[in-house]
Amino acid sequence: MTDRASHYLTLENLAAKSVGIAELFKAEPKRLDRFVMREGPLRADFSKQAISENALEALLSFAAKCDLEEWRAKLFAGEKVNTSEDRAVLHMALRGVGGSKENQKQVADMRETLANFANKVRSEGKFKNIVHIGIGGSDLGPRLVADAFEASAEQSLTLRFAENVDGASVNDAVKGLKPEETLAIVVSKSFGTQETKMNGDAVRAWLGTAASTNMIAVTANRDGAQEFGIAPDKIFDFWDWVGGRYSVWSAVGLSLQIAYGPKVFDAFLKGAARMDTHFRDQPLQENLPVMMALTGIWNRNVLGYSSQAVIPYARRIRKLAAFLQQLEMESNGKRITRGGKEAGLTCPIIWGDEGTNGQHAFFQWLHQGTSEGKYGGAPVDFVAVLKDHEARPDHHKALLANCFAQSEALMLGKPEHVVREEMEDRPDIDAIAPQKTFPGNRPSTTITLDELSPSAVGHLIALYEHKVFVQGVIWNVNSFDQWGVQLGKVLATTILDEMEKGEVGDHDPSTSALMGMV
Ligand code: F6P
């Protein structure tokens, strides 16, 4: 344990002394060696962050003082690091890394069961469609990964998702499908989630007589699934030591296994396992997730950035920001430490969209908006894929050129004197030149994947998972509970109950007026 606030102050002094990012390249000839890291197909270039080599050393020693190595050992040993819920956190065990022999046996047995089931569905040919019903961690991972698999694998069954309680979600999911050809998979860790149960009920009604054979469940609450009406032999388990937002690797990914085949899914798991062993075994200074986490800590706690943009220049992982919003903000969007004290600044806002689309929307703000740290602004994670999977080499080169140009432009900017030279003696130069100036020195990381293979996607997601863990240790928050989602859920139940009875109970005037309109 350490006094974090005083460490942040020391780091701030280092930041104040630091020169701009572009100058750091001149001052530090080995900067690329120090700030670029690779694991398998994933290369991450942190050199365009506004961090000097000295500051990085200070960050690493700060991380060590926060007992990062001890926490990492506890995580992989299966200790109950989710203290408020008294649970171990072992999503890595789903990839074959960490946990007890018993955990590994449970995982191996379940992997076999899932692969057998997936192969059976694929070979029988009865089902042509899957409707995956779930929300949050029971939806975002499978949805992101399904798109990503499209780059290199073939979808054998149509895969649709129903997540929102908005009736449009379930209506769109079943539109045009035939019940007798459709397998519905209800995915809920708790089996207590309103949206999933309502959508499950709706799909069951839509399935009609086919419901008893065509609906299965994935859950860590077998009793709940049975109460919902799913037969015991149609329930696939996972365990309380798998957090919802870390669960795509478990039976939650069954729809992926059926749609793309168990081999593709295995490659995805293996890719993540490589990142797990990297994170577990590499010293802090050569550790990719640690480096990523520390650049985030620098941007958030030292420079005071309020958000973090994630821009995949790869359409097939365009849902990355949505996935990371849950992974990072539900994990570390917390204001109280493990010990019940004020935590100070923790998780920034995570947001983003695919490149190049974002360039025509919010990049103006990234380049010339007023916020540059100290509680505004956004460093960027650019994610690009080097291989062209679309047999469109010209498009691919243009896509990559745009990606690389954006990080260069953010860093270098365009000084006013250059703008003035270009404008020559235009009469309105004093008004216009400052508007055309780019301040530069805006930090970014560029992650490249050699190809968008299932293995590379596994590496990428596991990288972010471990980054979240490291930041949770440094902020001293429990990254594995989510009490902040409870209050709204409880109030929604009360309000729905009153709306169904045609009553308006004891609410504030604004809420009462809203309810009175329905
Ligand atoms: O949004 C809160 C949450 O509890 C998430 O943590 C979880 O991924 C999601 O709801 C869905 O929960 P379940 O899988 O239990 O239906």
Side-chain angles (χ1 to χ4, degrees), residues 102-406:
E102 196 203 325
N103 297 137
Q104 287 299 339
K105 165 103 178 64
Q106 284 175 305
V107 169
D109 290 349
M110 183 48 66
R111 270 170 78 166
E112 198 183 327
T113 305
L114 293 170
N116 289 342
F117 182 78
N119 282 329
K120 186 163 159 280
V121 172
R122 288 165 66 80
S123 59
E124 277 177 358
K126 170 183 167 187
F127 294 114
K128 295 196 167 41
N129 323 299
I130 303 163
V131 174
H132 177 116
I133 304 157
I135 194 164
S138 296
D139 166 67
L140 291 162
R143 203 185 271 264
L144 164 72
V145 172
D147 278 357
F149 282 177
E150 283 291 307
S152 61
E154 203 163 317
Q155 196 183 77
S156 308
L157 285 87
T158 306
L159 178 53
R160 300 261 184 93
F161 293 90
E163 84 293 359
N164 198 329
V165 75
D166 185 331
S169 179
V170 69
N171 284 349
D172 286 354
V174 299
K175 198 172 185 175
L177 307 184
K178 291 186 180 143
E180 62 279 13
E181 295 175 349
T182 303
L183 177 68
I185 311 183
V186 188
V187 184
S188 176
K189 182 177 174 186
S190 61
F191 243 92
T193 304
Q194 181 197 47
E195 295 94 325
T196 304
K197 288 169 89 172
M198 274 193 157
N199 282 334
D201 279 334
V203 171
R204 187 178 5 227
W206 173 82
L207 284 170
T209 51
S212 60
T213 50
N214 292 16
M215 184 174 254
I216 64 174
V218 171
T219 188
N221 175 13
R222 188 161 258 275
D223 292 346
Q226 277 181 246
E227 248 170 61
F228 184 75
I230 310 284
D233 65 334
K234 293 199 161 26
I235 299 172
F236 296 87
D237 305 285
F238 63 110
W239 307 277
D240 71 355
W241 42 264
V242 180
R245 50 197 175 271
Y246 300 85
S247 65
V248 62
W249 324 95
S250 70
V252 169
L254 178 58
S255 38
L256 298 169
Q257 296 216 41
I258 300 171
Y260 295 93
K263 272 194 191 142
V264 173
F265 196 75
D266 274 0
F268 172 58
L269 296 180
K270 281 199 184 95
R274 279 192 66 175
M275 189 55 77
D276 292 333
T277 48
H278 170 106
F279 174 55
R280 186 193 59 193
D281 300 338
Q282 290 301 314
L284 299 190
Q285 66 275 14
E286 282 158 38
N287 199 302
L288 250 166
V290 171
M291 180 69 134
M292 192 180 215
L294 292 181
T295 58
I297 295 285
W298 178 263
N299 288 331
R300 181 72 176 128
N301 299 92
V302 180
L303 302 182
Y305 280 94
S306 57
S307 74
Q308 168 71 57
V310 182
I311 321 286
Y313 276 72
R315 186 181 185 77
R316 299 206 187 279
I317 46 169
R318 66 186 175 282
K319 294 179 187 134
L320 186 62
F323 172 82
L324 292 177
Q325 276 174 343
Q326 190 201 20
L327 182 67
E328 302 210 22
M329 293 168 80
E330 196 165 84
S331 296
N332 285 337
K334 302 191 174 150
R335 50 182 280 280
I336 299 294
T337 66
R338 285 175 178 275
K341 303 270 186 318
E342 292 281 341
L345 289 179
T346 59
C347 187
I349 300 160
I350 308 292
W351 60 281
D353 195 0
E354 67 187 290
T356 59
N357 299 13
Q359 289 175 208
H360 303 276
F362 50 81
F363 270 56
Q364 163 65 41
W365 179 88
L366 283 175
H367 287 286
Q368 287 190 317
T370 48
S371 310
E372 295 171 71
K374 280 292 159 216
Y375 314 118
V380 181
D381 279 358
F382 291 100
V383 185
V385 177
L386 298 181
K387 179 174 166 178
D388 168 28
H389 289 271
E390 305 299 327
R392 294 205 178 270
D394 296 346
H395 286 71
H396 195 65
K397 267 188 217 120
L399 180 68
L400 291 180
N402 272 283
C403 177
F404 304 159
Q406 291 302 327

